[in-house]
Amino acid sequence: MTTGEQITQTVRSWPGVESAPHRFGGTEFRVGRRELGHLHGDRIADLPFPRRVRDELIADGRAHPHHVLPDSGWITTSIRSDDEARNAIELFRMAYERAQGARRSHA
């Protein structure tokens, strides 16, 4: 199984997560209307976070500024190895928990 397949299988297994083709290629994951992030094949994952969280993830070496929008809250992380895929899954889990918290507060 490729790293992209590992990530997709894991993230899609979480309650409420849906996947679909991403508008710029790859696979996008959503909870309701909120995008958790997306994969570009087995190369990179892009995820949105509040700027403070984004800055912490970059400072910790877990991510890089987004490859197209470096001044946004988005991050990019490589998913070429199993270790990188595990990191990406943890980042998707962070995004998922934030989305679940937002859904609960709006309910």
Side-chain angles (χ1 to χ4, degrees):
M1 186 178 308
T2 69
T3 56
E5 291 168 342
Q6 291 171 32
I7 295 165
T8 297
Q9 182 178 43
T10 300
V11 176
R12 286 183 60 189
S13 74
W14 301 334
V17 173
E18 298 177 358
S19 65
H22 183 63
R23 66 187 175 276
F24 298 122
T27 303
E28 176 178 301
F29 303 98
R30 291 187 164 275
V31 171
R33 293 177 31 192
R34 185 179 188 141
E35 183 180 349
L36 301 178
H38 55 269
L39 301 177
H40 293 284
D42 298 317
R43 298 175 302 113
I44 59 173
D46 296 327
L47 299 93
F49 286 101
R51 190 63 184 249
R52 177 188 56 78
V53 175
R54 171 236 190 235
D55 292 345
E56 289 173 8
L57 292 170
I58 291 169
D60 291 345
R62 297 190 64 197
H64 301 283
H66 189 269
H67 59 108
V68 176
L69 304 168
D71 295 325
S72 70
W74 283 79
I75 56 132
T76 295
T77 190
S78 177
I79 59 169
R80 294 180 187 264
S81 71
D82 288 341
D83 286 342
E84 290 175 341
R86 280 189 288 278
N87 177 60
I89 290 168
E90 290 172 6
L91 296 173
F92 273 105
R93 190 66 191 193
M94 288 174 61
Y96 175 76
E97 289 172 2
R98 287 181 39 71
Q100 292 295 80
R103 286 181 72 141
R104 283 190 294 274
S105 69
H106 286 104

